[in-house]
Amino acid sequence: MNRYEILNQVYTNKVKTVIQENYRIKTIEIDHRMDCLPGQFLMVWIPGSGERPMSIGNADPLTISVANVGKVSGEIVNLVEGDRISYRGPFGNPFTIPKNAKKILCIGGGYGVVPMYFLARKAKEAGVNAIAVIGAKSENDIVWEKQLFVVCERVHITTDDGSKGKKGTVMIEVNELVEDVDAVYACGPEKMMAAVAKLCREKKKFCEVSIERIMKCGVGICGSCAINGKLCCMDGPVFTGEEALAMEEFGK
Amino acid sequence: MSIQSEFFGKKMKNPILLASGIIGMTRGSLGMACENGCGGVISKSLTLEPRKGHEGPNIVETECGILNAMGYPNPGIEEGLREFAGWKREEALVISIVGKNAGEFAELAKKVELQKNRVSALEAVISCPHTPGYGTMVGQGTPESVSEITTAIKENCSLPLIIKLSPSVPGEVKAALAAEEAGADAINMGNSLGPGMKIDIHRKKPVLGFGIGGLSGLPIKPIAVRCVYDIYGAVKIPIIGTGGINAGVDAIEMMMAGAKWVSVGTAVYYRGQDVFAKIAKEMEVWMKLNGYSRLEEITGAAHEQI
Ligand SMILES: Cc1cc2nc3c(=O)[nH]c(=O)nc-3n(C[C@H](O)[C@H](O)[C@H](O)COP(=O)(O)OP(=O)(O)OC[C@H]3O[C@@H](n4cnc5c(N)ncnc54)[C@H](O)[C@@H]3O)c2cc1C
Ligand SMILES: Cc1cc2nc3c(=O)[nH]c(=O)nc-3n(C[C@H](O)[C@H](O)[C@H](O)COP(=O)(O)O)c2cc1C
C-alpha cells in the first residue's frame, strides 16, 4: 500500500451551472456524480472563509441550493460557472421509504424543498408516487417548484401572505393530504416540522424530519450539533417524527 | 478476571474515559458515551466566557490521523456547569476547564467548587496546541507555569485535580513533577500533538480554518506511550494515558507504560460511537487469553525488572 486510505477526503470540482432561484437563493450544480442519498449533506468549504453544511439536492450532477444569509453562504452564492468548489461528504443518515409505501408526502419550507426534491425523485425512480407541499413567506420565496412538478404527482403551495397558493401554513394542505399517503417527510422551520410530526403521531403515519443544528466537524466527534443526547450530523439530520418529538429542544 | 477500575473513590466498570472535547458538549451526549460503554467522561473544556471557536473547517482527516482546530467552542463555565449539573449516572464525571493564566484558572475553579456535587474530578488543560491565548501557544507547559496554575486551582477547589499535559512540549517529566509537587492528584498525558498542518494541493491552502491544528489518533500513540512511560517513572500520582487509543491492545500498551486509566477520543471517528464498549471487550478478551486477572497487574508492567 502506497498511501493510507482517507475516509473523508476534500473534493474539489468545477461549478457546472449556477441558477438564480430568487432574490437570495442560488442553485449550484457541480461537475461531480456523487454516491449519495436524499437527506444527506455536504460540508462546503470556501478557503479563507469557512465551512458550512448544505443539503444535497441531487446526486448527478451533485447539486446544492444556498440561501445568502451570512458569511459563508454569501461567498458560496458568489461562485460562477467554471469556478472550483470544495466540499467533504456525503454525511448523515438519509430519509427512508417504508417497503410497502405507495404514496408519500414531501413537505418543504424555504431551502427545505431541496432534499424533498431529491427524495421525490428517488421515490419516483422506485415507483412510489410523491405529493409535494411547498410552504413560503410569499411568492418570491418559493424555489424548486418546477423541479418538483417533474417528479411529483401534484405540488401544493401555501404562502403566509396568500400571494400564491393557499394563504396560511403548510398545515392547511397537510391536514387533508395526510389521510391518503403512507409516509410523510418534512424539512424546514422546526415549528412546521413539529406540527407535521404531531399530526403523523395522531394519524399513525410514518414520518421523518430533517433537523438543523450548527455543525462543525460533520463526522460525529466534536459534539457541536448535540441535541438531547443525539448528534445531528451522525444520528441525523434525518430523525423519525417520534425521535424528534422526544427531544426537548425540538420545535422551540 | 475483571477490568473494573477505581476513580478517586468511585467504582468504574472499566478504565476507559471519554476524552475532553469529543462529543461531550451536553449532558445528553456525555450520557450517550456512557451508554456506549465508557467508565467515565471528561466534559468539553469550559472557559470563563462563551466562545464560538475557530472558523471551519475545524477538522481534517490526513493519511495518518486527524487534525483538529476547534478553538474551544463552548457555552462558558456558567452555562456549562448548569448543563452538566444534575449528573445522575453511575459513571464518573470530570469537568474540564481551560484558562489563559493562573488567575483565570483560579476563577474557574471557584465556580466549579460551588457546583461540585456529583463531579468526580476537575481537569485543567494547559496543552492545547492551536488556540491563541491558551495552552502551548502561550507557554503553559513549563514547570513554572504548571506549578502556578496547579497551586491556583488547588487553593480554590477541593475536587481531585488532573493536569492535562502536552506530548509536544519537551520536559513533560519536569512538568508532571511540578504538578505533583503543587498538589495535583493525577496527570493526563496528553493532548493532541503538534500543531500540524494539512494543505489542500488543489486549492493551495491549508484546509483548517485556523491553518494549524492538533494531530490525534493512532499516529500519536507511540509518543503518548513514551511520555506516559517517562512520567510513570518519575511521579507517584496516577496517570490517564491519552492519544491514539483505538483498540483494546492500545489501551493495554498504554497501561503497561504506566497509565491507570486511558481516555479515548479520535477512535470514535474510526470505530463509531460504541468504540468504548468495543475497547472494553477487547481488553477483557486479551487479558483472559494472556492470563491477567486484574488491571493492577498491567499498569506499569513495562517498568518491572525481571
Ligand atoms: C444539515 C444542514 C443542512 C443545511 N442545508 C442548507 C441548504 O441546503 N441551503 C442553505 O442555504 N443552508 C443550509 N444550511 C444552513 C447553512 O449550513 C448555514 O447555517 C447558513 O448558510 C448560514 O451560514 P453563513 O456562514 O452564511 O452565516 P453566518 O455568518 O454563520 O451567520 C449569519 C447570520 O445568519 C443567520 N443564520 C445562520 N444560519 C442560518 C440559516 N440556516 N437560515 C437563516 N439564517 C441563518 C445567523 O443567525 C446569523 O445571524 C444547512 C444546515 C444544516 C445543519
Ligand atoms: C475534535 C477534538 C476536540 C478536542 N477538544 C478538546 C478540549 O476541548 N479539551 C481538551 O483537553 N482536549 C481536547 N481534545 C484533545 C483530546 O481530548 C485528546 O487529548 C487528543 O485528541 C488525543 O487523544 P485521541 O488520539 O484519542 O483523540 C480534542 C480533540 C479533538 C479531536
Side-chain angles (χ1 to χ4, degrees):
Chain A
M1 188 164 62
N2 282 327
R3 315 249 325 148
Y4 291 92
E5 190 191 351
I6 294 188
L7 304 173
N8 287 299
Q9 67 177 105
V10 178
Y11 295 98
T12 296
N13 284 297
K14 279 224 160 72
V15 171
K16 229 163 101 170
T17 330
V18 179
I19 305 150
Q20 180 93 42
E21 300 283 357
N22 67 11
Y23 63 100
R24 65 164 199 166
I25 298 184
K26 276 189 189 171
T27 294
I28 293 170
E29 292 180 346
I30 303 165
D31 197 3
H32 183 182
R33 177 175 157 188
M34 187 181 256
D35 215 353
C36 57
L37 292 165
Q40 291 189 302
F41 63 93
L42 305 175
M43 293 293 285
V44 179
W45 170 42
I46 300 289
S49 178
E51 190 189 43
R52 294 288 182 273
M54 291 291 159
S55 300
I56 298 172
N58 203 1
D60 182 21
L62 184 59
T63 305
I64 55 171
S65 210
V66 181
N68 180 0
V69 296
K71 185 179 166 198
V72 181
S73 59
E75 298 271 351
I76 300 174
V77 298
N78 278 340
L79 292 172
V80 296
E81 275 172 36
D83 280 351
R84 287 176 309 166
I85 181 167
S86 301
Y87 46 91
R88 302 184 284 140
F91 297 124
N93 284 319
F95 289 107
T96 53
I97 301 179
K99 262 209 191 86
N100 47 9
K102 296 202 175 57
K103 193 175 271 195
I104 63 170
L105 185 59
C106 301
I107 308 155
Y111 56 73
V113 296
V114 172
M116 288 299 127
Y117 162 79
F118 193 15
L119 176 65
R121 182 189 164 117
K122 282 278 170 196
K124 191 180 180 189
E125 283 168 17
V128 177
N129 282 330
I131 299 173
V133 182
I134 305 178
K137 275 202 199 85
S138 89
E139 186 173 8
N140 292 337
D141 294 290
I142 299 165
V143 293
W144 286 50
E145 184 189 349
K146 281 200 205 86
Q147 288 95 318
L148 279 165
F149 264 120
V150 178
V151 293
C152 294
E153 195 181 286
R154 270 176 295 147
V155 180
H156 299 262
I157 288 169
T158 64
T159 49
D160 295 348
D161 64 0
S163 51
K164 187 160 185 184
K166 285 193 185 151
K167 183 174 172 173
T169 72
V170 292
M171 295 314 288
I172 33 176
E173 291 288 5
V174 175
N175 277 322
E176 284 178 28
L177 295 165
V178 73
E179 300 293 349
D180 50 65
V181 295
D182 306 304
V184 180
Y185 305 87
C187 184
E190 272 189 30
K191 280 212 171 78
M192 171 198 105
M193 295 195 289
V196 170
K198 279 185 195 136
L199 179 70
C200 291
R201 169 186 279 176
E202 196 183 298
K203 303 279 179 190
K204 299 200 166 55
K205 297 282 177 180
F206 178 88
C207 171
E208 284 179 342
V209 299
S210 175
I211 300 179
E212 257 188 35
R213 281 292 176 275
I214 289 176
M215 288 176 187
K216 286 178 180 282
C217 77
V219 292
I221 59 170
C222 80
S224 300
C225 64
I227 169 165
N228 295 103
K230 305 254 173 173
L231 296 177
C232 202
C233 71
M234 280 286 288
D235 302 318
V238 173
F239 293 96
T240 66
E242 288 303 327
E243 282 173 331
L245 289 174
M247 297 169 179
E248 277 164 50
E249 284 180 32
F250 177 67
K252 298 268 153 67
Chain B
M1 210 281 311
S2 151
I3 59 165
Q4 266 186 20
S5 183
E6 175 274 337
F7 193 79
F8 299 109
K10 209 175 166 72
K11 262 201 191 142
M12 272 174 117
K13 62 182 180 241
N14 62 49
I16 306 164
L17 292 146
L18 167 74
S20 178
I22 312 295
I23 65 184
M25 289 274 193
T26 64
R27 195 167 78 219
S29 46
L30 290 175
M32 214 38 152
C34 294
E35 296 283 319
N36 281 319
C38 57
V41 293
I42 308 175
S43 80
K44 176 72 192 172
S45 303
L46 300 169
T47 48
L48 275 176
E49 299 299 328
R51 284 176 60 92
K52 279 181 77 176
H54 294 318
E55 188 50 88
N58 295 100
I59 78 146
V60 59
E61 190 180 337
T62 77
E63 299 75 15
C64 45
I66 67 167
L67 286 170
N68 92 83
M70 299 301 300
Y72 289 127
N74 79 94
I77 186 79
E78 307 254 331
E79 182 56 35
L81 287 175
R82 246 197 304 282
E83 175 69 37
F84 301 129
W87 180 253
K88 293 199 181 65
R89 301 191 59 102
E90 282 294 295
E91 291 84 357
L93 169 67
V94 179
I95 296 287
S96 170
I97 55 171
V98 56
K100 292 196 164 104
N101 48 50
E104 279 201 15
F105 273 109
E107 256 186 82
L108 289 158
K110 262 183 221 161
K111 300 224 149 102
V112 178
E113 175 68 17
L114 297 174
Q115 306 222 27
K116 63 178 178 186
N117 212 3
R118 310 281 312 164
V119 179
S120 290
L122 183 62
E123 179 170 281
V125 200
I126 54 165
S127 45
C128 180
H130 52 252
T131 309
Y134 298 89
T136 60
M137 287 188 89
V138 289
Q140 281 181 349
T142 63
E144 298 71 35
S145 143
V146 169
S147 175
E148 193 193 352
I149 289 169
T150 307
T151 308
I153 298 171
K154 274 312 227 184
E155 278 169 1
N156 289 288
C157 184
S158 57
L159 284 170
L161 173 63
I162 304 159
I163 298 289
K164 186 168 180 182
L165 298 175
S166 166
S168 321
V169 178
E172 63 287 329
V173 173
K174 285 201 180 113
L177 278 166
E180 180 178 47
E181 210 163 281
D185 302 278
I187 300 293
N188 185 340
M189 185 75 221
N191 216 308
S192 52
L193 187 73
M197 179 183 281
K198 161 90 177 175
I199 292 170
D200 186 289
I201 58 174
H202 302 287
R203 306 307 298 258
K204 298 182 278 189
K205 283 256 164 41
V207 178
L208 290 172
F210 187 60
I212 57 173
L215 185 67
S216 63
L218 260 181
I220 75 169
K221 194 186 75 175
I223 294 170
V225 166
R226 195 273 302 158
C227 290
V228 167
Y229 185 92
D230 286 351
I231 291 172
Y232 181 84
V235 303
K236 291 191 185 61
I237 52 178
I239 304 165
I240 304 176
T242 309
I245 293 171
N246 208 49
V249 287
D250 302 323
I252 300 276
E253 183 182 353
M254 189 65 93
M255 294 180 77
M256 286 191 172
K260 176 171 178 185
W261 312 281
V262 295
S263 86
V264 171
T266 305
V268 168
Y269 174 66
Y270 289 103
R271 300 189 68 199
Q273 304 285 329
D274 60 346
V275 63
F276 311 100
K278 287 177 182 157
I279 293 177
K281 185 86 214 147
E282 290 158 359
M283 288 178 78
E284 271 177 0
V285 170
W286 190 90
M287 282 170 65
K288 228 178 261 170
L289 216 63
N290 291 277
Y292 290 87
S293 55
R294 291 176 310 124
L295 295 175
E296 286 80 357
E297 300 161 20
I298 294 178
T299 293
H303 295 258
E304 281 162 25
Q305 306 291 325
I306 340 151

